[in-house]
Amino acid sequence: MIRIKPRLTSLRLLLAATVLAVTAIATAQQPAATLNWKDADIRQVVEAVSAVTGKNFILDPRVTGRVTLLSPTPLGPDALYEAFLSILQVHGYVAIDSGDLVKIIPDATARQFPSQMGTAGAAGPDDLATQVVQLQNVGATQLVPILRPLIPQYGHLVAHSGSNMLIISDRAANVQRMLSIIRRIDQASDEDIEVVPLQHASASEIVRIMTALTQTPRSDGAPVTTSLVADARTNSVLIGGDRSERLRLRTLIAHLDTPLDAGGDTQVRYLRYADAEELATKLQEHFNGQAQAATGGGQAAGAGAQREVSVWADTQTNAIVVNAPPKLMRSLMQIVDKLDIRRAQVLVEAIIVEIIADKKNELGASVAIEGSGSNTPIGVTNFPDFLSGVVQIGAAAGGGATDPSGLIGQGVTIGVGRISEDGVSFAAILRALEGDADTNIISTPSVVTTDNEEATLNVGQEVPFVTGSFTNTGSTAGAVNPFQTIQRQQIGVKLAITPQINDGNSIVLNISQEISNIAQSAAGAVDLITNQRIVETTVIVDDGEILVLGGLLEDVLRESDQKVPVLGSIPLVGNLFRARKTEKVKTNLMIFIRPTILRDAATTAIETNQKYNMMRDLQIGQQGTNIQLMPGVERTVLPPLEELREDKTEGPQ
């Protein structure tokens, strides 16, 4: 707070003395007045300054306090106003000119009001001024952290990088000081950048050695102004600094860039992703081919290159050991850096949808009539392709079969008859069947493989098929060592795929898809029957998109009708002399494919988390059901994936 007390014991006497002094100045045309205050109220001081200088003041309500002013020498109006501005600055206030008015406000809000722009030299030292500085040699953003501590809290300093300008808002005296500092910093220097190509040494090795030498603190405390950067592509060293430092560094580099007396250099490179044995073979072949091309070919040239460059692999550590001259060593290491990279992976999901609708209707009758005292039927209808008739049942019964029910097929079978030794024997069988079967199969096999690497997935069963048999039926002793030869065949879903990632996130897929299952046994088949659906193709699919590979749309209708001529055509009664069968099968099969590129560990983790959590959610959904005959036994549930990762991170205790 600002405190002002009048020198006199009474405030009224102070005001009277001030008015008299001002009046005397105005009357006698005196240029100066002596004003001394002690703990005077700041608003009364503003009134006195206004009377002396003739300025109109507007005070912010927050401007309060007391001020002390001791002036042993007379002060003119201008000097008094400058002293008044200093008083305001000391106590945290600022005066802003606004036409015929002067606004007195706190420093904290001074930036919200317009101030003198670009006239720091013309303004008073305590006036608020704004200056825009154009920099020529130094970046404006680089100077902001250097100059920020020199700006008070109420001031403002900002850089405009587009035009390389600084904007400073502060009191005129401090703005002038900042301009002086900026002019001394914004100076052109003789620093430049030179490129020093190397003939024998490695640029990265030279930079490592030179950096250790140049970054040592100087004895005089001066900062290190040189910089060294290695360009591996051109095997050059970039030097930055003043002329004397660059000359010194070039001399040192010239001494280091000398050929070796004999032999080459040996390096051991541990590979992160590539296979060491495969990479070593390719590199050796590469350098042998280069040597033959450079010398015109021939076995002698190849043997010389082999002696000059040797590459071998250590499979246990997945590392390659290289011995070669420095120039060839650099070329080799550049090749290794480009080949030893993390290869993208591809998640391939096959979606197989199969919908089958099978409808079947059967209706038929068999009739047999036997004459008196005879075992030969005199009238019979029999349709063995549809149903087992009375002839088969009678033969089974005559042969001593106690249970002929095996001859009765599916559906409803109704039989009537009479067996008489004296009269007429008869038998009749009626069979009716209606079938409706719907099949909906959705399979989603998936597999993850590396780019340009084949992956296979087999999900199914091995089914035995009889391929041959042997029996010795001609022997009186019966069969001797009978046997059958069996061949097992995989039945299920087979997926073989090789992805190739192209630019633009498109993927070329070489696909071999096979779907097989066991079909219902057909009439006349001696063994199992399998259904196969095979797709072999090459397609191009974008990342995450779904593409249809192929499918089968089949609609089969079979109608069969067997009847006795003439009798089978009689209305109503003719149904006893005919057998009808209708079968309609509609098959819809579609195969879709969806590849997803997994370029990094994060994307791979996301896909893994989704699959893992899906299986865990299914297990959690079954937790509410009890295990039959095992009360108190809980179902097994996968642990949360986060716990597994925490256990791996913590390691063994």
Side-chain angles (χ1 to χ4, degrees):
M1 297 293 294
I2 303 172
R3 300 184 179 274
I4 303 176
K5 288 185 178 180
R7 190 174 183 180
L8 301 177
T9 58
S10 175
L11 182 61
R12 183 175 297 177
L13 295 177
L14 170 64
L15 295 176
T18 303
V19 174
L20 291 175
V22 174
T23 304
I25 294 173
T27 305
Q29 302 293 326
Q30 295 180 356
T34 301
L35 299 175
N36 294 322
W37 296 298
K38 184 177 182 181
D39 293 336
D41 186 85
I42 191 173
R43 295 180 177 271
Q44 296 173 356
V45 174
V46 171
E47 293 178 2
V49 174
S50 177
V52 174
T53 61
K55 295 181 178 293
N56 301 318
F57 293 98
I58 299 178
L59 275 72
D60 190 277
R62 293 168 291 181
V63 179
T64 59
R66 296 185 176 277
V67 170
T68 298
L69 174 62
L70 301 178
S71 178
T73 58
L75 298 176
D78 295 339
L80 178 61
Y81 186 70
E82 295 293 335
F84 176 68
L85 295 179
S86 300
I87 293 174
L88 296 179
Q89 180 183 2
V90 170
H91 295 93
Y93 301 113
V94 62
I96 299 178
D97 291 333
S98 179
D100 296 334
L101 300 176
V102 179
K103 302 176 183 178
I104 301 176
I105 59 177
D107 287 334
T109 60
R111 290 184 295 178
Q112 303 175 3
F113 293 87
S115 59
Q116 301 186 50
M117 179 70 68
T119 58
D126 296 322
D127 290 336
L128 191 66
T130 300
Q131 187 79 32
V132 180
V133 184
Q134 177 70 59
L135 301 177
Q136 303 296 332
N137 304 289
V138 183
T141 56
Q142 299 177 353
L143 289 183
V144 171
I146 299 175
L147 301 177
R148 179 73 68 183
L150 305 179
I151 299 294
Q153 185 177 2
Y154 60 84
H156 185 64
L157 175 65
V158 67
H160 186 263
S161 57
S163 58
N164 198 35
M165 291 182 178
L166 282 177
I167 302 175
I168 308 172
S169 181
D170 198 359
R171 298 190 184 272
N174 197 36
V175 172
Q176 284 288 74
R177 182 170 69 99
M178 300 291 290
L179 293 177
S180 178
I181 296 173
I182 293 172
R183 283 193 294 267
R184 298 184 62 180
I185 296 176
D186 190 26
Q187 298 289 333
S189 64
D190 59 349
E191 293 186 358
D192 201 354
I193 297 177
E194 293 187 15
V195 180
V196 182
L198 303 180
Q199 300 295 329
H200 308 283
S202 173
S204 58
E205 188 68 17
I206 291 293
V207 169
R208 184 185 64 83
I209 297 174
M210 299 297 294
T211 301
L213 294 174
T214 57
Q215 297 303 320
T216 303
R218 299 175 56 173
S219 59
D220 56 357
V224 180
T225 59
T226 58
S227 58
L228 296 167
V229 178
D231 183 13
R233 185 180 63 86
T234 60
N235 195 38
S236 304
V237 177
L238 281 68
I239 306 174
D242 56 30
R243 185 176 304 172
S244 59
E245 288 295 327
R246 297 199 309 270
L247 180 60
R248 183 176 67 87
L249 294 178
R250 287 203 310 268
T251 304
L252 293 176
I253 293 174
H255 286 288
L256 295 175
D257 188 26
T258 57
L260 299 177
D261 295 335
D265 190 13
T266 301
Q267 291 191 18
V268 179
R269 173 65 69 89
Y270 296 95
L271 304 179
R272 300 179 59 189
Y273 307 103
D275 182 77
E277 189 173 5
E278 182 180 355
L279 184 59
T281 303
K282 294 181 179 179
L283 291 175
Q284 190 67 60
E285 294 177 353
H286 169 72
F287 282 108
N288 292 343
Q290 276 192 337
Q292 292 181 4
T295 57
Q299 297 181 354
Q306 189 172 4
R307 290 191 301 268
E308 188 179 16
V309 178
S310 63
V311 184
W312 58 276
D314 183 16
T315 57
Q316 295 182 348
T317 60
N318 195 38
I320 58 174
V321 183
V322 184
N323 182 272
K327 186 175 181 180
L328 295 179
M329 181 68 73
R330 292 191 299 269
S331 177
L332 184 144
M333 291 305 164
Q334 291 177 1
I335 296 176
V336 173
D337 292 337
K338 294 181 179 180
L339 295 179
D340 187 27
I341 59 175
R342 181 188 179 95
R343 297 168 61 186
Q345 301 181 106
V346 180
L347 169 64
V348 182
E349 297 173 289
I351 305 174
I352 305 167
V353 183
E354 184 176 9
I355 301 175
I356 301 175
D358 188 358
K359 300 182 182 297
K360 182 186 301 182
N361 290 322
E362 295 182 9
L363 180 63
S366 295
V367 180
I369 302 175
E370 182 187 15
S372 176
S374 177
N375 294 324
T376 303
I378 59 175
V380 64
T381 61
N382 194 45
F383 306 100
D385 294 338
F386 291 84
L387 69 157
S388 297
V390 293
V391 175
Q392 288 79 8
I393 297 177
T402 60
D403 186 14
S405 60
L407 297 174
I408 300 176
Q410 298 177 347
V412 176
T413 303
I414 302 175
V416 296
R418 186 187 70 154
I419 300 176
S420 176
E421 296 181 356
D422 301 335
V424 178
S425 301
F426 69 94
I429 295 177
L430 176 66
R431 179 184 175 188
L433 173 65
E434 181 179 355
D436 190 354
D438 293 330
T439 304
N440 187 1
I441 302 175
I442 299 178
S443 302
T444 57
S446 61
V447 63
V448 178
T449 182
T450 309
D451 184 25
N452 286 316
E453 294 291 340
E454 184 182 12
T456 59
L457 176 67
N458 295 333
V459 180
Q461 298 176 330
E462 285 191 350
V463 180
F465 291 87
V466 179
T467 58
S469 63
F470 172 80
T471 58
N472 188 4
T473 58
S475 175
T476 57
V480 178
N481 296 328
F483 67 88
Q484 291 180 333
T485 58
I486 296 176
Q487 181 180 0
R488 295 184 177 273
Q489 180 178 348
Q490 288 187 346
I491 302 297
V493 178
K494 299 179 182 179
L495 176 63
I497 189 166
T498 303
Q500 177 182 337
I501 303 176
N502 299 332
D503 293 336
N505 288 336
S506 62
I507 308 170
V508 178
L509 300 176
N510 295 321
I511 302 172
S512 176
Q513 177 78 62
E514 179 181 345
I515 308 164
S516 58
N517 55 17
I518 300 176
Q520 297 181 356
S521 299
V526 297
D527 207 340
L528 299 177
I529 299 176
T530 59
N531 298 325
Q532 285 188 334
R533 303 162 182 94
I534 300 175
V535 176
E536 294 183 356
T537 182
T538 301
V539 297
I540 300 177
V541 192
D542 291 337
D543 180 24
E545 297 296 329
I546 299 177
L547 180 68
V548 58
L549 296 181
L552 172 65
L553 301 178
E554 187 179 36
D555 196 348
V556 180
L557 177 63
R558 298 186 182 94
E559 293 182 323
S560 301
D561 191 359
Q562 294 183 359
K563 63 183 179 179
V564 177
V566 181
L567 296 178
S569 301
I570 299 175
L572 300 178
V573 180
N575 292 326
L576 299 175
F577 302 95
R578 68 191 301 174
R580 292 173 292 179
K581 182 178 180 181
T582 303
E583 184 177 3
K584 182 177 178 63
V585 180
K586 188 175 182 179
T587 303
N588 296 322
L589 173 65
M590 285 294 170
I591 302 175
F592 304 88
I593 201 79
R594 181 177 68 179
T596 303
I597 301 176
L598 309 177
R599 295 190 179 276
D600 49 27
T603 308
T604 305
I606 292 174
E607 295 293 338
T608 302
N609 293 350
Q610 292 179 352
K611 302 294 184 183
Y612 189 92
N613 293 330
M614 180 190 68
M615 299 301 298
R616 188 170 183 273
D617 292 340
L618 292 176
Q619 292 179 335
I620 294 176
Q622 297 178 349
Q623 280 291 95
T625 59
N626 297 325
I627 300 178
Q628 297 181 0
L629 304 180
M630 292 184 180
V633 179
E634 298 182 354
R635 299 180 183 273
T636 304
V637 180
L638 291 172
L641 195 58
E642 293 76 11
E643 293 184 1
L644 296 178
R645 290 172 175 166
E646 291 178 358
D647 295 341
K648 181 179 180 181
T649 304
E650 294 175 359
Q653 301 296 327

